[in-house]
Amino acid sequence: METSEQLLEFESKIAEGAKIEPKDWMPDRYRSQLIRMMSQHAHSEIVGMLPEGNWITRAPNLRRKMTLLAKVQDEAGHGLYIYSATETLGIERSELIDQLLEGKAKYSSIFNYPTLSWADIGVIGWLVDGAAIVNQTMLAKASYGPYSRAMIRICKEENFHKKQGFEIVTTLAAGTPEQKAMVQDAVNRWWWPSLMMFGPHDAESTNSSELMQWGVKRKSNDSLRQHFVNITVPQARAVDLTIPDPELEYNEETGDWKFGEIDWNEFYQVIKGNGPCNRERIAARRSAHDNGAWVREAARAYADKQLTRQTTS
Amino acid sequence: MSTESESPVWEVFLQPKSGKPHEHVGSVHAVDAEQALQNARDVYTRRGEGISIWVVQANNITASSPDDAGPLFDPGDDKIYRHPSFYTVPRGVRNV
């Protein structure tokens, strides 16, 4: 039962910037909001392997193939860090994975877009990982200890992801006219979905104010999005690529890049499951899960056998 | 959906380098200790983060409860004579 005394103590801890740890008292709503948010985050890391995995066998050379493999492997690790942190809230990983496979759980809508050319791999590293870093740097200060620690670990690793992406972008942008056109096309397709990664406008974001009040999020969707645009526009200019937004304009007073309105209809359509690849992504996860069943079964049988041997000898 | 039972949770402790203590880094699922070590290696040490790993099945850990923190740690709080600042030393005497 929640008492006002417990709630006061909890809130004062958050106000002091102290971390909440798994065995500490917390409001049920804090727990359920964290489970929702953290599992969505973990699912995003796992589903996020799919669009990039699509190009591992077709990477243009061995260096690119090695780095892409390492990056995709990192995403698997990131998913596991966050599932592990989510389990400290008293839910089993298998239940979370079931929610994903049954199509009940959300994950970042960006991964429902297809990777049509090699340039997409560069642009994903640059824009998608770039946006994720902005978000995760904030979450590294989250009030829940295990989430914050997982984010710190992830942020340390993500910088390589962004740099390897930008290196691909730089190379293509300085390449043949065809390569330049290919990378510009990728930027055109990924720019707006990347901005959507920060979620709805603050006024429309149903969970934001609660998450900010509890110190899970420290900055609003719109301010994170603005920061991302501000750091990314000069990067695009440095490699002579155009951001597909005619309204993009520098504001001398605020120091911000003003940008056009996001197509929110597209955003909500993709979230509802009607993006280009929603069905394909879940089908791929299901098939991976089903095809791995015999491995898990064999490992369990082996462990059981070892245990019987130990106890009988 | 899945009827298969999840393998147990193992807490993972990593020693970052020689001379440092093992520190908790997270957990893995594994059917036995050997698989727990392998999974911990793959998940938590992709960039030379450690030179030694401990894994221990989570249900073998007994932890104190935050609610008991008061009575549990109180006895240490009122013994200020356990700190060097409790004692007075004559002026000018150094390195005591």
Side-chain angles (χ1 to χ4, degrees), chain B residues 52-67:
Chain B
S52 163
I53 304 172
W54 290 347
V55 288
V56 54
Q57 209 173 318
N59 60 14
N60 285 332
I61 295 180
T62 307
S64 65
S65 158
D67 298 335

Side-chain angles (χ1 to χ4, degrees), chain A residues 23-24 73-74 77-78 80-81 84 87 92-94 98 101-102 153 157 160-161 286 289 293 296 299-300 302-303 306, chain B residues 1-2 4-7 9 14 24-29 31-32 34-35 42-44 46-47 49 63-67:
Chain A
K23 294 182 89 181
D24 290 342
Q73 194 184 13
D74 270 354
H78 296 176
L80 292 175
Y81 299 162
S84 158
E87 284 192 303
E92 281 205 17
R93 185 179 69 180
S94 56
D98 280 351
L101 299 181
E102 285 164 20
R153 193 165 279 276
E157 301 182 354
F160 132 64
H161 298 182
R286 274 189 199 146
H289 189 77
R296 295 189 295 275
R300 256 194 305 273
Y302 176 77
Q306 294 298 104
Chain B
M1 172 173 274
S2 73
E4 56 178 284
S5 62
E6 178 79 290
S7 48
V9 174
L14 209 58
H24 181 246
V25 288
S27 65
V28 292
H29 282 270
V31 289
D32 59 19
E34 189 188 349
Q35 195 192 32
D42 290 345
V43 176
Y44 293 101
R46 288 191 300 282
R47 290 175 177 78
E49 289 92 337
S64 65
S65 158
D67 298 335

